[in-house]
Amino acid sequence: MLSIKNLRASVEGKEILKGINLEVKAGEVHAIMGPNGSGKSTLANILAGKQDYEILEGEVTYLGQDLLQLSPEVRSRSGIFLSFQYPVEIPGVPMINFLKASVNEHRKFKGLAPLTAGEFLKLMRAKKEMLHLDTELTNRSVNEGFSGGEKKKNEIFQMAMLEPKLAILDETDSGLDIDALRIVAEGVNALKTPDNATILVTHYQRLLDYIVPDFVHVLYNGRIVKSGGKELAFELEEKGYDWLKNGNEI
Amino acid sequence: MSIISEKAAGTDQMVTLFEQNKEILIQGSSPILNRMREVSIKRFAQAGIPDFKNEDYKYTNLKPAFEKSYRQELVREAGLINLNEVFKSNIPELDAHLVFLVNGWFYKGNNPGAELPKGVVLGSLDQIANEHPELLLNFLNRQAGLSVDPLVALNTALTKDGFFLFIPKGVIIEKPVQIINLLSSEVDLMATQRNLIIAEDDTQVKIVVCDHSLSPITFLYNSVSEIYIGNDAVLDMYSIQNLHNQSTVVNSLFFKQQRNSSLTTGVISLHGGLIRNNLKVTFNGDHSEANINGMSFTDKKQHVDNFTVIEHSSPNCLSNQIYKNILDDESTGAFAGRIHVARDAQQTNAFQRNNNVLLSDNARMQTKPQLIIDADDVKCSHGATVGQIDEDALFFLRARGIGENEARMMLMNAFAHEVILKITIEQLRERIDELIEKRLSGEISRFHEQLFI
């Protein structure tokens, strides 16, 4: 589904990613872990199409297409979903208008007719029930005045509405209390199918108690320095990232 | 009959125009209009047409607009307007008491009286000043006459007509009153219009004023309105300015509020070559409230200048101003807001905010708050921002599949939304949302440009 080969990228002249290689297949859950500043969020943002980065080298193929050539909106419509580390507050844009525009753009891309107001509300209700969300979030402007937990729940709700093929969750667990974390994790698990894939970007092992990855990659200083199964996460938790920093054994 | 001035450029030419046409100006007009003319033209002549040297016009030079020859419609012309055509011109269609004015003159075909509550007068200022001068006597030019603005003085000297609205004590007008000001002429035209609104104690009214240019010529439109709001009265007044790029508009609104009254305004400058809005509120009684809002959209070489003065002359009043501008291309904007809290106006709350979005590197915005506070127990604040579209928000929307142009539109709409939400007439709010969409998508500009083809 996704293939990253020797990806190097810089921001403001500083090289952040120094040669990333990653293969993600349908049905898989990959966790990318690493200390602050290792390049995790940069990788997530580049995949979603944020233009603040300069690609120095390498290629990214998504479903046979050159991903880096696509605009953020086309990536989204093609099934890539980034759950933002810091979801943006947009006062004055009602959540419901935003979601409707988003869902209908996705439908248009697939050659489907836009949803009627009634169909849209029905879809929203179904997804809310599935995620056990209260109804309040959709009556407000996008993320405006939402707590950290509400913002993250709102991201998962958008994900449920858009049913992406490849979901990239950037630090979705940060700033969540244990109840919110459970709701978010259950949502991600409920949306998982054999046809889609998930990349979890996280600093802590905590989220992986709820969403079990098939692969764990350790990103350090712009490179994936270690890959393994879910047990790698426990090892990291036990030994800390210092183990890598000092660790020559990679 | 119309008068073409030989060379109506500049201050002297305006004075000459006045002198040469004095007979026509006076003829048929009420003495209460005529008695103000001589003194006003003198005041105008002394001050002259304002440019950057006039502190109150620091950001707007009106001189170029006066360097042209204009037809003046000093006598009512029996023109006919096609109402169906008019509503195609992006004028919001409302369920309202509707009247038209053409080139400053109250249209003879209007028939607003039938449905209005008993005692309400809505008609031609010229006609009512002649027939019932007692209604206007204590109000006409009482506020405008104190103004130092030369354009207000010029208006008082040249004015022949406008609309007059009188709401007697205790009357509530349920439906909005919609006033549509049309500019229509074969040759370049200077229109002068004078309006007066008297809302007595315990009245309620919502007024929508729409300014529109209909012909592909240069317009210079100088309008002055005085509005009196009685004790416990509630008055909402919205202006929608939608004129083509060869229009210069100077629109002066003077509000005077008595005790425990409430005012809400919204000036939506959708389109126009040069627009200068003067707005003054005087609190003449305690426990009153004024919510004053403005939203403007400019592109190409357009210019919009909002100049507000809030006179807190009485204690325990609240004024709250929000002005916003979205500026593209090489357009320019200005906001200057003066708040004066008099010595005895304790417990005043006065707030002012001006937020601006520049869509291009060449757009310019000038913003200038001015607080003069002579009382000691007051809460006043002001703030101004000039920025660009929020790139993070733009990326967020695009990352959800919304195309770049549509995402930009959403964000601009959202920016304007705060002001639009203040509009208390639901059907108008919806119409304005549509008009803003049309404005931002370029449809309104194209409509105006078509006139010139």
Side-chain angles (χ1 to χ4, degrees):
Chain A
M1 180 179 277
L2 180 77
S3 168
I4 305 175
K5 291 208 174 79
N6 191 30
L7 181 65
R8 288 174 57 226
S10 69
V11 61
E12 285 163 7
K14 188 171 182 285
E15 193 170 343
I16 307 287
L17 300 183
K18 298 172 181 169
I20 301 276
N21 292 290
L22 184 68
E23 293 286 332
V24 178
K25 294 192 178 67
E28 293 176 349
V29 176
H30 289 248
I32 297 178
M33 302 183 69
N36 289 332
S38 57
K40 302 191 301 290
S41 285
T42 299
L43 177 60
N45 285 331
I46 286 176
L47 293 178
K50 197 155 200 222
Q51 277 140 12
D52 302 353
Y53 307 94
E54 196 190 341
I55 308 295
L56 304 170
E57 202 186 337
E59 58 184 60
V60 181
T61 315
Y62 167 72
L63 297 174
Q65 288 171 287
D66 180 358
L67 185 73
L68 299 176
Q69 296 302 315
L70 304 179
S71 67
E73 51 269 35
V74 171
R75 294 183 201 199
S76 167
R77 294 168 197 163
S78 309
I80 290 185
F81 180 92
L82 172 66
S83 169
F84 282 70
Q85 182 178 5
Y86 303 109
V88 188
E89 296 195 17
I90 315 180
V93 175
M95 193 55 214
I96 195 154
N97 295 12
F98 152 68
L99 255 187
K100 199 164 176 224
S102 171
V103 167
N104 282 334
E105 285 292 351
H106 280 248
R107 289 181 64 85
K108 195 162 109 191
F109 192 74
K110 291 180 191 136
L112 299 170
L115 292 181
T116 65
E119 289 167 338
F120 177 72
L121 290 175
K122 213 169 133 191
L123 177 68
M124 250 183 21
R125 215 173 304 129
K127 298 296 182 183
K128 274 181 190 166
E129 262 170 42
M130 179 183 146
L131 300 173
H132 310 292
L133 290 178
D134 50 33
T135 52
E136 273 173 42
L137 297 185
T138 45
N139 297 334
R140 292 147 71 177
S141 287
V142 178
N143 292 323
E144 190 187 20
F146 286 23
S147 70
E150 285 174 327
K151 282 180 185 168
K152 296 298 171 77
K153 281 190 225 169
N154 194 20
E155 293 289 286
I156 301 306
F157 175 54
Q158 290 160 43
M159 179 174 153
M161 291 292 287
L162 298 175
E163 297 181 336
K165 292 196 184 81
L166 175 64
I168 305 157
L169 308 182
D170 187 7
E171 305 271 4
T172 295
D173 50 333
S174 67
L176 289 190
D177 62 38
I178 204 76
D179 291 330
L181 183 66
R182 192 174 295 127
I183 288 175
V184 164
E186 280 171 6
V188 173
N189 286 330
L191 293 166
K192 204 169 154 325
T193 72
D195 301 323
N196 61 25
T198 310
I199 298 175
L200 302 169
V201 174
T202 182
H203 186 87
Y204 301 105
Q205 186 267 339
R206 194 173 66 147
L207 180 66
L208 307 182
D209 290 343
Y210 297 92
I211 308 171
V212 181
D214 300 304
F215 301 95
V216 174
H217 311 276
V218 180
L219 189 63
Y220 178 65
N221 200 14
R223 283 191 191 91
I224 289 177
V225 292
K226 200 170 174 68
S227 294
K230 62 181 181 235
E231 62 287 347
L232 180 57
F234 297 114
E235 203 176 341
L236 268 178
E237 179 80 354
E238 207 175 290
K239 298 183 179 170
Y241 288 115
D242 283 343
W243 165 56
L244 291 167
K245 290 180 196 170
N246 313 327
N248 318 305
E249 191 270 323
I250 283 171
Chain B
M1 191 173 110
S2 62
I3 309 303
I4 297 181
S5 56
E6 287 300 314
K7 194 167 156 255
T11 310
D12 293 346
Q13 284 69 31
M14 280 292 139
V15 175
T16 308
L17 171 100
F18 176 87
E19 295 298 340
Q20 285 174 354
N21 298 294
K22 213 188 289 182
E23 285 299 306
I24 295 164
L25 280 166
I26 287 168
Q27 202 171 40
S29 282
S30 163
I32 63 169
L33 283 171
N34 286 337
R35 67 177 182 187
M36 317 181 301
R37 296 191 196 278
E38 291 281 357
V39 60
S40 299
I41 198 71
K42 283 199 186 84
R43 289 176 66 173
F44 166 75
Q46 268 169 10
I49 291 157
D51 63 6
F52 306 125
K53 280 174 244 151
N54 181 327
E55 186 61 27
D56 289 351
Y57 277 83
K58 202 172 167 187
Y59 307 116
T60 297
N61 183 1
L62 286 174
K63 277 191 173 143
F66 278 87
E67 278 165 10
K68 280 198 145 204
S69 294
Y70 293 99
R71 183 173 78 91
Q72 305 264 341
E73 214 170 288
L74 299 181
V75 173
R76 180 192 300 277
E77 291 177 14
L80 275 178
I81 44 172
N82 181 337
L83 299 189
N84 290 331
E85 282 301 311
V86 164
F87 277 108
K88 281 183 198 154
S89 321
N90 294 308
I91 295 176
E93 256 188 286
L94 304 172
D95 179 22
H97 303 284
L98 178 66
V99 296
F100 293 89
L101 288 94
V102 182
N103 301 337
W105 290 89
F106 197 81
Y107 184 57
K108 279 293 178 197
N110 289 326
N111 182 23
E115 286 179 70
L116 283 164
K118 198 165 173 285
V120 172
V121 178
L122 174 57
S124 150
L125 183 89
D126 171 55
Q127 187 188 342
I128 293 158
N130 273 312
E131 293 171 6
H132 298 286
E134 72 283 357
L135 282 177
L136 294 73
L137 199 58
N138 294 325
F139 298 94
L140 191 68
N141 211 34
R142 289 297 163 93
Q143 293 185 70
L146 301 174
S147 170
V148 294
D149 190 320
L151 271 298
V152 173
L154 183 65
N155 179 289
T156 308
L158 295 179
T159 195
K160 290 295 285 184
D161 198 13
F163 69 84
F164 173 71
L165 174 61
F166 173 79
I167 306 144
K169 193 173 188 314
V171 169
I172 294 170
I173 305 182
E174 298 280 350
K175 276 203 271 183
V177 174
Q178 187 178 16
I179 290 147
I180 300 182
N181 297 313
L182 302 172
L183 297 176
S184 174
S185 176
E186 302 275 314
V187 294
D188 295 349
L189 177 94
M190 176 173 165
T192 301
Q193 179 174 337
R194 188 59 171 256
N195 312 309
L196 179 61
I197 299 171
I198 303 166
E200 289 196 333
D201 297 350
D202 295 309
T203 54
Q204 289 182 28
V205 63
K206 291 175 163 61
I207 301 158
V208 182
V209 183
C210 306
D211 297 341
H212 283 264
S213 55
L214 295 182
S215 18
I217 52 113
T218 302
F219 289 110
L220 176 55
Y221 181 38
N222 183 11
S223 175
V224 172
S225 306
E226 293 174 277
I227 299 104
Y228 293 85
I229 308 171
N231 295 330
D232 303 293
V234 180
L235 186 140
D236 300 355
M237 185 164 171
Y238 306 101
S239 309
I240 297 134
Q241 299 169 316
N242 188 358
L243 304 101
H244 61 55
N245 285 335
Q246 290 198 42
S247 311
T248 297
V249 178
V250 183
N251 176 38
S252 303
L253 303 173
F254 296 90
F255 295 92
K256 194 167 194 178
Q257 292 188 244
Q258 300 303 114
R259 183 176 40 77
N260 206 25
S261 64
S262 163
L263 166 69
T264 303
T265 71
V267 178
I268 315 294
S269 306
L270 268 184
H271 203 277
L274 186 158
I275 297 176
R276 161 75 176 209
N277 291 311
N278 298 309
L279 186 148
K280 184 178 181 184
V281 173
T282 306
F283 288 112
N284 197 41
D286 51 288
H287 292 94
S288 286
E289 177 180 333
N291 292 294
I292 298 139
N293 307 293
M295 181 73 232
S296 88
F297 304 86
T298 52
D299 57 8
K300 312 252 170 54
K301 290 180 183 302
Q302 295 173 345
H303 177 76
V304 172
D305 179 358
N306 279 292
F307 183 86
T308 69
V309 177
I310 314 295
E311 279 292 342
H312 278 272
S313 310
S314 299
N316 287 296
C317 291
L318 162 72
S319 66
N320 195 1
Q321 299 179 71
I322 302 173
Y323 274 84
K324 292 190 168 189
N325 296 268
I326 296 178
L327 305 100
D328 202 355
D329 301 332
E330 297 153 75
S331 68
T332 49
F335 171 78
R338 186 180 303 155
I339 297 170
H340 177 223
V341 183
R343 202 166 56 100
D344 298 327
Q346 300 296 359
Q347 304 272 318
T348 285
N349 285 301
F351 309 111
Q352 180 192 92
R353 185 151 54 80
N354 174 228
N355 302 120
N356 308 288
V357 170
L358 303 180
L359 300 177
S360 93
D361 291 342
N362 297 320
R364 290 278 177 277
M365 182 70 205
Q366 307 279 352
T367 175
K368 186 178 115 180
Q370 191 185 6
L371 272 58
I372 306 161
I373 300 171
D374 296 326
D376 48 24
D377 183 12
V378 300
K379 259 188 229 161
C380 292
S381 71
H382 65 86
T385 59
V386 180
Q388 278 95 36
I389 286 274
D390 181 348
E391 290 295 328
D392 288 336
L394 189 64
F395 177 63
F396 181 88
L397 294 175
R398 294 180 73 190
R400 293 292 177 262
I402 298 169
E404 186 176 357
N405 280 340
E406 201 187 329
R408 279 184 191 280
M409 290 271 284
M410 271 180 132
L411 293 174
M412 286 190 276
N413 262 313
F415 177 76
H417 202 65
E418 185 187 12
V419 174
I420 306 312
L421 272 182
K422 306 278 181 189
I423 296 174
T424 52
I425 305 169
E426 197 186 342
Q427 46 169 343
L428 178 65
R429 224 166 35 229
E430 288 164 10
R431 292 294 90 76
I432 289 190
D433 272 339
E434 291 163 17
L435 287 172
I436 290 176
E437 292 268 358
K438 282 184 168 185
R439 175 62 170 110
L440 294 174
S441 67
E443 197 179 325
I444 286 187
S445 300
R446 284 193 292 278
F447 179 86
H448 288 301
E449 282 157 17
Q450 272 170 18
L451 277 179
F452 289 88
I453 295 166

